[in-house]
C-alpha cells in the first residue's frame, strides 16, 4: 500500500495533467462547436428575370435562416468573382424569361452555384437553397395544375402522390460535437499518456534496467506495470467523466452501456500502451519522439475511420492503418458504442481486433526493449573492459 | 503534448474544416492570430480557387511578420538564458556583456 501511495505521489503531476487537460480540452472544443447548424451563409442573387416568380424565389431565400442574401450581382462574372473573393459562399442565377418559360412549360432551369472549397459551407448553402426551391417549385406546380382546370384539393393530392419522409438516426443535427468528440477525447488521452508517461518512462528506465541485476527485474517490471495500470484506470475514468460533462452541458449523446464503454476504452488504452511500448523501445531521445509524434497527431485522427470512412479507402491502406495505428481498432467502435448504444455482440469484433493489435505490438515492444537493454549492457561492459585495460 | 496540441488546436480553429461562422464570434478574431489561418486556408484557395499572389499577399506579409516576431522573441529569450547561465557560472559576466555591448 505504501508503495502504491509512493507511486501515486511520483506520478501525481502527470495524472493531474491527464485529468485537467482532457476535461478542459473537451469542454473548450464543445464550446467552440456548440452551434450544430451553419446559418446565415452569405449568398448572392443574380436575377435576370425580375418577375413576380423570381421575386417570390428571392424573398423565400431571404427568409431562410441558413442563408443571408446580402448582395445582388449584376452579372455571372460578378457572382463568380464574389465567390472567388470569399465575399459570398454561394449564389443563384435566375435566367431571363424564367416566368414566361414556366408558363410555356419549357422547364427553365435555375442555377445554384457554391464554393466547394469548404464543403461545410458550400454544401449547407446548396442544401438550404434546394429546400427553398423545391418548396417554391411545388407551389408553382400546384398553381399550374389549378390553372389547367384541376380543383385545388385534387392538385395538391396529385402533387403528393409520391412523397417520402427523411429520418436521420442517432445524429439528426449533424453537429461537430457528436461527430468528432468521441475520437478527440481518445486522441488527447493518448497524446498525454504516450508523451508524458510511457515513452519518457521507458527511455529513463532503460539505464535502470541495464544497471540492475537479473533478480531485480521482476520488481522493476512490476513497478512499471502498476504505473501503467494506474494511468489506464485514470484514463478510462477521465474519458467517461469528460464525455458525461459534455453530455450534461452540450447534449453529447451517451447511449451505450457503461460496461461496454469501460471495456472498449480499456481495450483502446491497451492498444495505446502496446504502441507506446514499441515507441519507447526504439526511442533514445525523447525530443525526437515528440517531434515525430507531433507530425503524426493529425494523421492518426484522419485515419481513425471517423473523419473519412474505411470503406472508401483502398483495401491495402486499411490493412496498413489497422496494423500500425492504435486508433484504428477502437475509434469507430467506441463512437458506435457511445452514439448508437451498441450491445456486446456488436462491440465484440472491435474489442477482438483491439486485442490482436495489443498482443502483437506488446510482444514486439517487449522484445525490442529487451534487445535495447542488452545492447546498452554490452556497451557498458565494453567501456568497463577498456577502462580496466587503461 | 504542447506541440501536438498546438498543431491540432490551430488546425481546428483556423476555419479550414469547420467554418468560423459556426463558432462563437470571438474565434473569428482569434483565428486571425493563428499561423494556420494564414497558411493552410490560402494554400487551399490557391490550389482550388486559383487565387493569385496579389490575392494572398496579405497572408504572406502576416506570416513573414509572425516569423520575424517569433524569431526575435526566441533570440531574446535564448540570449537572456545565456546571460543568466553565464552570471551563475561567472559572477560579473552580466556587467562584462553590458560592457562589450557598449563597446560594440
Amino acid at each position: 500500500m505504501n508503495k502504491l501511495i509512493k507511486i501515486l505521489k511520483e506520478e501525481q503531476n502527470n495524472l493531474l495533467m491527464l485529468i485537467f487537460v482532457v476535461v478542459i480540452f473537451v469542454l473548450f472544443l464543445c464550446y467552440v462547436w456548440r452551434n450544430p447548424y451553419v446559418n446565415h451563409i452569405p449568398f448572392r442573387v443574380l436575377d435576370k428575370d425580375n418577375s413576380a416568380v423570381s421575386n417570390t424565389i428571392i424573398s423565400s431565400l431571404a427568409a431562410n435562416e441558413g442563408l443571408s442574401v446580402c448582395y445582388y450581382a449584376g452579372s455571372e462574372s460578378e457572382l463568380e468573382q464574389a465567390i472567388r473573393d470569399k465575399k459570398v459562399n454561394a449564389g443563384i442565377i435566375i435566367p431571363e424569361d424564367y416566368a414566361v418559360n414556366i408558363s410555356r412549360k419549357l422547364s427553365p432551369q435555375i442555377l445554384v452555384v457554391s464554393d466547394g472549397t469548404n464543403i461545410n459551407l458550400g454544401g449547407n448553402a446548396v442544401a438550404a437553397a434546394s429546400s427553398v426551391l423545391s418548396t417554391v417549385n411545388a407551389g408553382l406546380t400546384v398553381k399550374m395544375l389549378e390553372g389547367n382546370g384541376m380543383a385545388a384539393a385534387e392538385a395538391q393530392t396529385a402533387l403528393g402522390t409520391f412523397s417520402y419522409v427523411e429520418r436521420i438516426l442517432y445524429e439528426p443535427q449533424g453537429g461537430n460535437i457528436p461527430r468528432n468528440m468521441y475520437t478527440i477525447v481518445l486522441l488527447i488521452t493518448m497524446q498525454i499518456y504516450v508523451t508524458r508517461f510511457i515513452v519518457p518512462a521507458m527511455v529513463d528506465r532503460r539505464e535502470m534496467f541495464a544497471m540492475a541485476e537479473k533478480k531485480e527485474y521482476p520488481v522493476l517490471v512490476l513497478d512499471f506495470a502498476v504505473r501503467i495500470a494506474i494511468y489506464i484506470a485514470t484514463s478510462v475514468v477521465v474519458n467517461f467523466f469528460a464525455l458525461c460533462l459534455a453530455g450534461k452541458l452540450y447534449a453529447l449523446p451517451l447511449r451505450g452501456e457503461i460496461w461496454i464503454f469501460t471495456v472498449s476504452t480499456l481495450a483502446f488504452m491497451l492498444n495505446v500502451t502496446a504502441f507506446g511500448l514499441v515507441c519507447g523501445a526504439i526511442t533514445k531521445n525523447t525530443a525526437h519522439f515528440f517531434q515525430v509524434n507531433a507530425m503524426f497527431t493529425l494523421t492518426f485522427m484522419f485515419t481513425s475511420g471517423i473523419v473519412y470512412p474505411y470503406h472508401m479507402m483502398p483495401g491495402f491502406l486499411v490493412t496498413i492503418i489497422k496494423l500500425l495505428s492504435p486508433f484504428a481498432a477502437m475509434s469507430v467502435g467506441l463512437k458506435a458504442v457511445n452514439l448508437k448504444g451498441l450491445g456486446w455482440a456488436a462491440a465484440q469484433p472491435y474489442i477482438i481486433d483491439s486485442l490482436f493489435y495489443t498482443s502483437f505490438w506488446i510482444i514486439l515492444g517487449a522484445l525490442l526493449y529487451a534487445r535495447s537493454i542488452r545492447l546498452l549492457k554490452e556497451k557498458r561492459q565494453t567501456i568497463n573492459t577498456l577502462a580496466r585495460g587503461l | 503534448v504542447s506541440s501536438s496540441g498546438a498543431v491540432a488546436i490551430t488546425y481546428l480553429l483556423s476555419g479550414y474544416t469547420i467554418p468560423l461562422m459556426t463558432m462563437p464570434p470571438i474565434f473569428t478574431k482569434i483565428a486571425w492570430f493563428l499561423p494556420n489561418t494564414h497558411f493552410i486556408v490560402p494554400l487551399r484557395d490557391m490550389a482550388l480557387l486559383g487565387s493569385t499572389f496579389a490575392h494572398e499577399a496579405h497572408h504572406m506579409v502576416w506570416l513573414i511578420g509572425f516569423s520575424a516576431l517569433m524569431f526575435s522573441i526566441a533570440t531574446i529569450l535564448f540570449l537572456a538564458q545565456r546571460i543568466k547561465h553565464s552570471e551563475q557560472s561567472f559572477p560579473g559576466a552580466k556587467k562584462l556583456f553590458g560592457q562589450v555591448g557598449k563597446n560594440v
Side-chain angles (χ1 to χ4, degrees):
Chain A
M1 194 63 195
N2 285 344
K3 182 75 181 160
L4 188 67
I5 292 168
K6 193 183 160 218
I7 290 174
L8 282 171
K9 274 187 180 168
E10 283 173 6
E11 300 292 345
Q12 67 176 359
N13 287 346
N14 283 342
L15 289 171
L16 285 173
M17 187 179 185
L18 178 68
I19 295 165
F20 284 108
V21 171
V22 171
V23 172
I24 290 169
F25 222 101
V26 166
L27 291 182
F28 172 71
L29 287 176
C30 282
Y31 173 71
V32 175
W33 293 336
R34 67 193 163 150
N35 184 5
Y37 301 109
V38 190
N39 281 340
H40 309 296
I41 301 169
F43 194 83
R44 184 170 278 200
V45 172
L46 171 56
D47 183 9
K48 290 179 165 181
D49 189 36
N50 206 12
S51 62
V53 174
S54 68
N55 285 337
T56 308
I57 291 170
I58 295 165
S59 56
S60 304
L61 287 169
N64 189 292
E65 271 214 2
L67 304 171
S68 169
V69 180
C70 46
Y71 298 101
Y72 289 85
S75 64
E76 279 98 340
S77 57
E78 200 183 311
L79 175 60
E80 191 189 341
Q81 194 58 41
I83 291 176
R84 198 180 282 271
D85 293 344
K86 305 260 172 191
K87 284 180 184 161
V88 293
N89 294 94
I92 188 169
I93 301 171
I94 303 172
E96 266 177 73
D97 299 328
Y98 181 69
V100 175
N101 286 335
I102 285 176
S103 58
R104 285 180 189 159
K105 296 177 191 167
L106 289 174
S107 302
Q109 287 189 329
I110 283 176
L111 180 65
V112 178
V113 283
S114 78
D115 176 4
T117 56
N118 190 328
I119 201 68
N120 259 318
L121 289 174
N124 273 294
V126 170
S130 300
S131 73
V132 169
L133 290 173
S134 55
T135 310
V136 174
N137 183 32
L140 283 173
T141 312
V142 168
K143 276 188 181 158
M144 283 196 68
L145 290 172
E146 284 174 23
N148 285 339
M150 201 181 262
E154 209 177 324
Q156 280 186 3
T157 314
L159 203 70
T161 309
F162 173 76
S163 65
Y164 67 96
V165 177
E166 276 181 358
R167 188 167 293 161
I168 301 168
L169 301 176
Y170 306 118
E171 201 191 336
Q173 289 185 324
N176 288 306
I177 297 177
R179 195 183 301 156
N180 298 318
M181 202 46 71
Y182 308 112
T183 313
I184 284 181
V185 75
L186 298 177
L187 184 72
I188 304 162
T189 311
M190 174 184 150
Q191 289 302 327
I192 297 169
Y193 176 58
V194 169
T195 57
R196 295 291 300 183
F197 170 64
I198 200 155
V199 171
M202 284 182 74
V203 172
D204 292 345
R205 275 172 175 70
R206 191 179 285 127
E207 285 279 335
M208 220 188 281
F209 274 106
M211 285 165 71
E213 295 290 325
K214 274 197 175 167
K215 60 182 177 187
E216 293 170 321
Y217 278 10
V219 181
L220 288 172
V221 171
L222 186 67
D223 176 89
F224 194 47
V226 169
R227 285 170 203 261
I228 287 174
I230 290 170
Y231 274 92
I232 290 178
T234 313
S235 302
V236 174
V237 175
V238 167
N239 266 252
F240 182 66
F241 178 67
L243 290 176
C244 281
L245 213 56
K248 190 82 184 156
L249 298 173
Y250 296 99
L252 177 74
L254 286 174
R255 300 190 176 100
E257 277 181 41
I258 191 166
W259 290 112
I260 305 177
F261 171 84
T262 307
V263 172
S264 303
T265 314
L266 201 66
F268 170 75
M269 287 311 294
L270 288 173
N271 285 353
V272 176
T273 306
F275 171 77
L277 281 178
V278 176
C279 293
I282 57 174
T283 301
K284 284 182 182 158
N285 186 338
T286 44
H288 295 162
F289 170 74
F290 293 157
Q291 287 306 314
V292 175
N293 183 58
M295 286 195 291
F296 279 94
T297 307
L298 288 177
T299 313
F300 282 137
M301 181 73 192
F302 290 148
T303 56
S304 64
I306 300 293
V307 177
Y308 194 74
Y310 284 133
H311 67 263
M312 286 172 75
M313 295 183 199
F316 76 95
L317 189 64
V318 177
T319 311
I320 293 171
I321 291 167
K322 289 200 169 175
L323 187 69
L324 297 177
S325 169
F327 257 89
M330 266 331 291
S331 54
V332 176
L334 259 165
K335 183 176 176 181
V337 165
N338 288 317
L339 195 59
K340 293 183 178 177
L342 286 190
W344 280 110
Q348 210 176 7
Y350 297 110
I351 297 169
I352 291 171
D353 273 1
S354 218
L355 291 177
F356 274 121
Y357 179 94
T358 301
S359 322
F360 175 74
W361 288 107
I362 224 162
I363 293 168
L364 188 69
L367 290 173
L368 286 171
Y369 197 51
R371 184 176 168 272
S372 72
I373 292 166
R374 188 167 49 80
L375 289 175
L376 190 63
K377 264 188 173 177
E378 283 172 9
K379 198 174 160 187
R380 281 176 177 281
Q381 277 169 356
T382 315
I383 292 168
N384 285 344
T385 316
L386 286 170
R388 266 188 232 119
L390 288 171
Chain B
V1 174
S2 60
S3 56
S4 312
V7 170
I9 200 93
T10 56
Y11 172 78
L12 290 172
L13 297 181
S14 68
Y16 185 81
T17 47
I18 294 151
L20 290 172
M21 64 172 70
T22 62
M23 300 179 193
I26 180 84
F27 290 99
T28 313
K29 292 186 178 80
I30 292 174
W32 196 83
F33 292 97
L34 304 175
N36 257 341
T37 311
H38 301 278
F39 177 59
I40 54 175
V41 179
L43 202 66
R44 179 180 60 190
D45 292 346
M46 281 193 272
L48 291 177
L49 279 175
S51 296
T52 57
F53 180 81
H55 252 106
E56 309 301 343
H58 64 287
H59 290 299
M60 292 179 199
V61 171
W62 189 96
L63 284 172
I64 292 166
F66 181 79
S67 306
L69 181 72
M70 288 297 134
F71 188 76
S72 310
I73 292 171
T75 310
I76 290 165
L77 288 176
F78 177 74
L79 287 176
Q81 246 176 5
R82 287 282 301 259
I83 292 168
K84 195 178 165 189
H85 180 73
S86 311
E87 187 64 23
Q88 280 165 357
S89 310
F90 312 102
K94 204 172 178 178
K95 230 179 200 175
L96 187 69
F97 271 109
Q99 197 58 47
V100 171
K102 271 180 198 167
N103 291 342
V104 171

